[in-house]
Amino acid sequence: MYKRILDNFAHFSEPHSAYSQSGYTVIASVAKQPKGRSTALPPATSCGLGDVAGTKASVSKFGKRRASWPLVCLAALAMTGLPLAPALAKQRPPIVKAERPSPFAKYVEALWPDAEKAGVSHKTFNAAFRGVTYDAKVVANTEGQAEFVKPVWDYLNSAVSAGRVEKGRAKFAAERSWVQKAHADYGVSEGVVMGIWGIETDFGAFAGGDNVVRSLTSLAFAHYQEDYFRGEIIAALQILEEGDIEPKRMLGSWAGAMGQTQFMPSSFLKFAVDFDGRGRRDIWTDSADAIGSTANYLKEHGWTPGLPWGFEVKLPDGFDLSAADSSKPAPFSAFAQRGVTRADGAAMPEKGDAQLLILAGLKGPIFLATSNFQAIKSYNNSTSYALAVALLGDEILGGEGLRAAWPVKDRQLAPAEVKELQTRLKKLGYDVGEIDGRSGEAVRAGLRKYQEKIGLPPDGYATPALLKRLKAK
């Protein structure tokens, strides 16, 4: 009997090749009891047994099996007469293998060296990525931002709606002291601060519900502007390390823009401010911090105090338009001398430079835009976006809106047609930027030069007639 006890114990103590390959729990089967033998076993709770038919034995991560039972339990088993060691030798237990890390998980692991260099602790890193998985929908969203794909008037109709203007006026009344403080501290237009707040998150009503770390990592993993988004991941981890926000509350847009200001993490680190002195920078729930941070951002991106973003203008009949009017700033006084007037009837500013902004031909609204319009574009490099911000801010402060009407009945070129127009202009030697099917500023600039060369008014408006003319060449 004692020999059997020692033999069984030795079987559990020696290295076993089948177990040395795994650090995971395995299941061992107990042999059937021979006829005439007692079936009495010690209670499972005292011997660490799961059940009679399937007994769990633990395996150390160093390849040696550890006995799950005390020696007294082995003795009890031996007394039953069960041939325990021979049974285990014949029936090798199956190994439960761990699932291999996914490519996304490996990508996350590879971020650690950069995070560590940036001062991020293991605790912060692990908390940020706990439960984070790849989000395929964010990549699909990169195909169509509204301010880039809609006609400008369609975008403005929704962005500068009557309801949003009314809500903005109410918000301005409620937060007037903070908006005025931002103007005093940073010199930025009160209207533009309100305009950005309204366009970005409807004055904080919806700042996004996506996990920022998950969105950024999914975009980087999908190789969409990978270097940029990888840098934003590290910046997000630094924010968490500094304690301004907890991982579960770091929410934003599908592209990783955060809070009421929709700052990217790198912008948060540089421009977010604790405007009300509460001890942390909270652009998610604190309106004062959102307002002050927006104003600080614009100041640091070249906002000139005392200079308007621009305004709607009227061109006199027979105005001699040149391509340079829309590409090279000139003094307000120079435009006034050529007969250009403000659409609202106010006097031209005495100081400052501006250039014409023509988005829908000479029949649509025309603007003079200053360098402060470019400061707004630093927030989002879209002319439609910047114009929406400016016009919304003007109306919140009491402006009456545009005088001229948009040519809403004009047929707009489809993306494929815009690509063809870009391709043909490029072959003629005009710089139109990337061939992407979008009628942006680069397309308008190249088109203005082409129009000027062939004797047409260089308004930069891409029309079916112009495409037809290019095809005929």
Side-chain angles (χ1 to χ4, degrees), residues 75-316:
L77 284 171
M79 291 174 67
T80 66
L82 291 174
L84 182 58
L88 288 175
K90 292 178 181 178
Q91 299 182 22
R92 300 285 178 128
I95 298 174
V96 181
K97 293 185 178 180
E99 183 179 344
R100 290 183 179 180
S102 68
F104 183 77
K106 290 181 179 179
Y107 190 88
V108 170
E109 291 176 4
L111 293 170
W112 167 245
D114 287 344
E116 185 179 31
K117 289 178 183 177
V120 178
S121 66
H122 264 299
K123 180 180 178 181
T124 297
F125 188 89
N126 292 337
F129 285 106
R130 185 172 295 119
V132 169
T133 56
Y134 176 66
D135 189 352
K137 78 177 188 298
V138 302
V139 179
N141 285 334
T142 63
E143 296 301 318
Q145 287 183 259
E147 62 267 29
F148 289 109
V149 299
K150 285 184 177 180
V152 60
W153 49 83
D154 283 349
Y155 177 69
L156 292 175
N157 281 342
S158 58
V160 192
S161 64
R164 182 166 284 171
V165 170
E166 182 180 359
K167 184 175 183 178
R169 288 173 177 171
K171 276 289 187 179
F172 179 63
E175 304 290 350
R176 185 185 299 271
S177 61
W178 291 116
V179 179
Q180 289 178 338
K181 183 178 187 303
H183 173 68
D185 289 0
Y186 301 110
V188 177
S189 161
E190 296 172 353
V192 169
V193 170
M194 291 300 301
I196 288 177
W197 194 19
I199 298 298
E200 290 293 346
T201 61
D202 197 24
F203 310 102
F206 184 70
D210 290 310
N211 180 311
V212 168
V213 172
R214 184 188 188 196
S215 294
L216 295 171
T217 310
S218 295
L219 288 166
F221 174 74
H223 304 297
Y224 179 78
Q225 301 180 31
E226 182 177 5
D227 289 344
Y228 170 74
F229 281 106
R230 192 180 177 98
E232 293 298 332
I233 296 168
I234 303 304
L237 296 173
Q238 289 177 299
I239 294 169
L240 295 173
E241 185 70 33
E242 292 177 9
D244 286 299
I245 192 73
E246 300 170 3
K248 65 181 180 181
R249 293 179 56 239
M250 185 182 256
L251 303 177
S253 74
W254 61 266
M258 309 182 303
Q260 298 183 40
T261 61
Q262 290 292 276
F263 274 3
M264 295 302 290
S266 59
S267 292
F268 181 98
L269 290 174
K270 295 176 183 176
F271 309 114
V273 296
D274 176 16
F275 204 45
D276 55 9
R278 293 186 179 182
R280 64 189 182 96
R281 300 167 292 179
D282 181 7
I283 61 173
W284 289 269
T285 63
D286 191 331
S287 296
D289 285 3
I291 290 166
S293 297
T294 300
N296 184 45
Y297 180 98
L298 291 170
K299 176 192 174 185
E300 296 299 323
H301 282 80
W303 185 274
T304 301
L307 186 68
W309 69 264
F311 37 77
E312 186 183 3
V313 297
K314 291 181 179 179
L315 302 183

Side-chain angles (χ1 to χ4, degrees), residues 153 358-363 407 409-414 417-418 420-422 424-425 439 443-444 447-448 450-451 454 456-457 459-471:
W153 49 83
I358 305 173
L359 300 178
L362 297 177
K363 294 181 180 180
K409 294 185 179 180
D410 285 2
R411 185 179 83 78
Q412 299 298 292
L413 295 181
E417 292 176 308
V418 176
E420 184 173 5
L421 181 139
Q422 291 173 309
R424 291 180 179 276
L425 285 173
S439 295
V443 173
R444 288 191 292 270
L447 194 52
R448 286 194 297 265
Y450 169 71
Q451 289 172 312
I454 64 175
L456 295 177
D459 58 11
Y461 189 35
T463 64
L466 271 174
L467 178 58
K468 183 178 180 179
R469 184 161 183 164
L470 280 166
K471 284 181 177 182

